[in-house]
């Protein structure tokens, strides 16, 4: 097992249509087999960085290594077996059942125009069980609540059986109850050794489950370290430009904004 699953070397990315540089000379490592949070304010380049890790965007300069190998050398099918994404949002417009939707995650393992087999269905049910939606497997995805939609997208990604799970702002649109549910599920998945990287602008979400944190600010690496070292009032205040306090209760980190 390699110590770092991703290594980024001097990554820069500029949007051609606007000539706006959104990532500036970023070099960092993402550890293998742990939960890592990509933390920063809105507009700091988190989603663009995730797109680069997926191979969806090609950096203008620099390179991305995955398991010590250049990301560009992986085929699309190889990448799909290795890395899976839970997007921030996805329109669920068609009346697929939850089971059928999760089975889309098995696409990298099927021949062209091939249909899922018994093993694929078993894996899909295991993914539904992981997020607590097994009993709803025959329901239409269009009937799901916001929290359930996030869980079904997670289940589809788990059905890919990836080594690396990427999530883009997985709790940004959820109420506190569903936020805690999603984070608790991710924490349990992390215990299995799955590498998880999730982006968020919420330091409390990072404090809840992340073992390692990468802070981004204005498209640049601000800091990166284990969460117990990096989540300090000084670091968070500098990152967000707002006075934030940090206190420790038992083994939990509580983050709150100082009232006037």
């Amino acid at each position: 097992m390699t110590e770092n699953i991703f290594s980024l070397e001097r990554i820069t990315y500029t949007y051609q249509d606007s000539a706006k540089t959104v990532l500036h000379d970023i070099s960092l490592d993402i550890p293998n087999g742990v939960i890592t949070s990509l933390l920063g304010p809105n507009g700091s380049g988190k989603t663009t960085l995730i797109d680069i890790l997926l191979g969806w965007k090609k950096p203008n300069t620099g390179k991305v290594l995955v398991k010590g190998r250049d990301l560009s050398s992986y085929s699309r099918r190889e990448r799909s077996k290795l890395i899976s994404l839970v997007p921030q949002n996805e329109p669920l417009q068609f009346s697929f059942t939850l089971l059928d939707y999760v089975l889309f995650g098995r696409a990298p393992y099927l021949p062209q125009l091939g249909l899922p087999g018994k093993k694929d269905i078993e894996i899909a049910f295991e993914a539904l069980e992981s997020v607590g939606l097994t009993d709803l497997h025959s329901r239409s995805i269009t009937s799901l609540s916001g929290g359930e939609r996030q869980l079904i997208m997670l289940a589809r990604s788990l059905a890919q059986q990836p080594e690396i799970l990427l999530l883009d702002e997985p709790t940004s649109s959820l109420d506190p109850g569903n936020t805690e549910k999603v984070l608790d599920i991710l924490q349990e998945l992390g215990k299995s050794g799955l590498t998880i990287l999730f982006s968020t602008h919420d330091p409390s979400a990072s404090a809840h489950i992340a073992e390692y944190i990468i802070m981004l600010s204005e498209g640049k690496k601000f800091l990166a370290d284990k969460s117990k070292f990096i989540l300090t009032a000084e670091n968070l205040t500098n990152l967000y430009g707002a006075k934030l306090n940090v206190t420790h209760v038992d083994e939990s980190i509580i983050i709150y904004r100082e009232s006037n």
Side-chain angles (χ1 to χ4, degrees):
M1 180 182 291
T2 58
E3 182 180 356
N4 297 311
I5 198 135
F6 281 112
S7 291
L8 283 67
E9 300 178 6
R10 308 202 68 173
I11 296 295
T12 298
Y13 185 82
T14 301
Y15 283 104
Q16 292 182 349
D17 55 350
S18 66
K20 178 184 178 183
T21 300
V22 292
L23 296 175
H24 303 264
D25 197 28
I26 291 180
S27 296
L28 57 85
D29 295 316
I30 299 172
N32 191 15
V34 303
I35 300 177
T36 296
S37 171
L38 190 60
L39 178 65
N42 292 329
S44 57
K46 301 186 297 295
T47 297
T48 301
L49 186 56
I50 285 178
D51 287 347
I52 287 174
L53 295 177
L54 286 160
W56 292 0
K57 287 184 170 69
K58 185 176 180 180
N60 299 96
T61 64
K63 62 181 179 179
V64 178
L65 301 179
V66 187
K67 301 177 70 175
R69 176 179 160 190
D70 197 308
L71 176 61
S72 63
S73 71
Y74 287 86
S75 69
R76 184 174 180 179
R77 185 178 288 266
E78 285 177 320
R79 289 201 309 267
S80 296
K81 291 180 178 180
L82 181 63
I83 309 169
S84 186
L85 171 72
V86 180
Q88 184 173 352
N89 190 29
E90 181 176 85
L92 303 181
Q93 300 173 336
F94 302 100
S95 296
F96 296 111
T97 67
L98 271 64
L99 178 59
D100 287 338
Y101 180 80
V102 172
L103 281 168
F104 289 140
R106 299 302 300 158
Y109 301 91
L110 301 179
Q112 190 173 13
L113 302 179
L115 296 175
K118 181 180 178 181
K119 181 63 175 179
D120 300 302
I121 293 172
E122 290 175 356
I123 291 170
F125 268 111
E126 289 172 2
L128 284 167
E129 184 177 4
S130 295
V131 301
L133 293 179
T134 308
D135 292 343
L136 306 181
H137 72 274
S138 60
R139 274 180 53 181
S140 167
I141 57 174
T142 59
S143 68
L144 298 180
S145 66
E148 289 168 338
R149 283 171 174 245
Q150 195 66 35
L151 293 174
I152 198 63
M153 289 191 293
L154 174 56
R156 182 189 61 182
S157 286
L158 293 176
Q160 283 181 234
Q161 296 184 306
E163 293 183 42
I164 307 163
L165 180 65
L166 305 182
L167 304 99
D168 189 12
E169 296 277 3
T171 61
S172 63
S173 61
L174 301 182
D175 60 46
N178 281 310
T179 292
E180 185 172 5
K181 181 184 294 185
V182 169
L183 293 176
D184 286 348
I185 289 171
L186 292 178
Q187 192 168 43
E188 284 301 309
L189 291 170
K191 292 177 182 178
S192 69
L194 178 66
T195 298
I196 298 174
L197 172 70
F198 71 100
S199 67
T200 182
H201 60 265
D202 179 7
S204 294
S206 295
H208 190 68
I209 64 169
E211 300 170 62
Y212 192 82
I213 295 176
I214 299 164
M215 292 183 174
L216 283 186
S217 177
E218 298 181 343
K220 300 176 183 178
K221 184 178 78 172
F222 183 68
L223 289 170
D225 208 335
K226 293 181 178 179
S227 57
K228 62 182 178 180
F229 301 131
I230 202 171
L231 286 177
T232 67
E234 180 181 4
N235 288 341
L236 291 172
T237 296
N238 289 334
L239 179 65
Y240 288 97
K243 180 63 176 176
L244 295 175
N245 290 326
V246 175
T247 188
H248 296 258
V249 178
D250 297 326
E251 296 184 1
S252 298
I253 301 173
I254 310 299
I255 300 167
Y256 60 97
R257 186 168 182 175
E258 188 173 278
S259 58
N260 295 327

